[in-house]
Amino acid sequence: MVVFESNKGRRIIGRLERGDNLLESLLTTCEKFDVKAGFIRGLGAFETAELTEYDIEKGDYRPPFRLEGLHELLMLNGNVSFKEGRPFLHLHALLSSVKPGACTVYGGHLLSATVFACEFEIVTSDDVELVRKADTATGLSLWQESGKLKAKS
Ligand code: ZN
């Protein structure tokens, strides 16, 4: 188990514009506010999205499932940490399509999205360092024991 306690954090609240690249915009926000570790949540709607999931047999992510057209973003959930020295987003999304007599929900590991509207919050943990490295047990890049940042005096 890898576990950290954080006693220092901020809340960054924002709205993305129509046409924004979700991942690029959130990474830019993380860099602007010097977010090194935190959790992200949001809601709104996407005009396109690519979802996948991990295939344990192949040890890799499945080919993306691409959604075109407006879908409601029921839930964006994810985190920010560091991988190979750069901020890295791990995002999951639930999206819906409602038509007369049918409601379909799509979900998965989010690879990309074009924003129609998105209100989001990033809750930071400014006193921990979350670093992703290869995990031999899963084949994934997961948080490793890298230490808690020292408090500034
Ligand atoms: Zn994932």
Side-chain angles (χ1 to χ4, degrees):
M1 182 189 306
V2 175
V3 62
F4 298 97
E5 179 183 15
S6 174
N7 298 300
K8 184 180 174 194
R10 295 169 288 154
R11 288 182 179 285
I12 297 159
I13 297 162
R15 178 180 69 81
L16 303 179
E17 303 287 350
R18 184 176 186 185
D20 279 351
N21 176 313
L22 179 83
L23 274 78
E24 282 180 11
S25 298
L26 290 176
L27 278 172
T28 299
T29 302
C30 289
E31 287 168 1
K32 179 179 177 183
F33 289 93
D34 196 27
V35 177
K36 295 196 166 32
F39 275 80
I40 298 171
R41 63 183 183 135
L43 53 82
F46 291 159
E47 294 187 79
T48 68
E50 287 184 317
L51 301 165
T52 187
E53 66 180 13
Y54 189 70
D55 184 336
I56 195 169
E57 301 294 324
K58 292 184 178 171
D60 201 357
Y61 285 91
R62 297 183 197 283
F65 176 77
R66 186 170 174 86
L67 280 168
E68 296 279 352
L70 194 69
H71 288 79
E72 195 83 4
L73 174 61
L74 306 179
M75 187 175 76
L76 173 70
N77 187 31
N79 58 53
V80 57
S81 54
F82 267 71
K83 182 178 173 184
E84 297 166 0
R86 304 176 68 187
F88 178 82
L89 299 174
H90 182 193
L91 300 173
H92 288 184
L94 280 177
L95 295 148
S96 72
S97 172
V98 180
K99 295 184 172 123
C103 176
T104 307
V105 175
Y106 304 91
H109 179 102
L110 188 66
L111 294 174
S112 71
T114 306
V115 171
F116 179 74
C118 183
E119 299 161 341
F120 69 93
E121 176 185 44
I122 303 172
V123 177
T124 71
S125 293
D126 295 325
D127 53 352
V128 298
E129 185 176 53
L130 299 175
V131 177
R132 291 184 178 276
K133 290 184 181 159
D135 176 71
T136 53
T138 61
L140 295 169
S141 181
L142 300 176
W143 294 341
Q144 303 299 319
E145 195 73 58
S146 60
K148 188 167 179 172
L149 295 174
K150 292 195 167 115
K152 291 177 186 163
S153 54

